[in-house]
Amino acid sequence: MLTSVAYAGSGEDPKAFVICERIKRQSICEEYRLNMLSASDRQLITKHCITGKRCPDENRIGRCIRYQDPDGLVFDKHYYVGSKKKHDWNASTIKETCIQSGGKYEDG
């Protein structure tokens, strides 16, 4: 199922978003648009993540716009440096992962 959506810049109202921030542990932050989530997904994600915030720009290597996970959820996935992971993400790995997941890669 593909959906066409206009994605605006970071000036969009944070209240329209939910973020799952895992920067310290995994160097990622997932950004969901509330209006794109089914009722069950919205309930699950808002229970475990933070409503009304956007993923930070600071220390971001790149992001994947419209990343689609195996369950069919579509969100923006942001990648960062400096986690406790053994190896940080790099732009080429992010870009490859993004394209394989049906998204559009953007630097920083």
Side-chain angles (χ1 to χ4, degrees), residues 56-98:
D57 294 335
E58 186 179 352
N59 295 326
R60 184 172 57 206
I61 301 167
R63 61 184 171 173
C64 183
I65 307 299
R66 295 182 302 274
Y67 176 96
Q68 185 168 350
D69 78 358
D71 296 326
L73 277 173
V74 177
F75 52 93
D76 296 346
K77 195 167 186 176
H78 301 247
Y79 299 83
Y80 298 85
V81 295
S83 76
K84 294 177 183 174
K85 284 177 31 172
K86 200 174 203 179
H87 303 286
D88 277 330
W89 291 100
N90 63 53
S92 61
T93 303
I94 297 167
K95 187 174 185 176
E96 183 179 326
T97 303
C98 182

Side-chain angles (χ1 to χ4, degrees), residues 19-35:
I19 67 168
C20 297
E21 191 272 305
R22 300 178 181 104
I23 297 171
K24 287 181 182 164
R25 198 175 70 237
Q26 297 175 330
S27 294
I28 61 168
C29 180
E30 297 165 344
E31 196 170 80
Y32 299 85
R33 282 165 177 74
L34 285 169
N35 65 350

Side-chain angles (χ1 to χ4, degrees), residues 35-46:
N35 65 350
M36 295 295 299
L37 297 171
S38 68
S40 59
D41 288 337
R42 186 180 307 120
Q43 184 177 15
L44 181 67
I45 290 169
T46 56

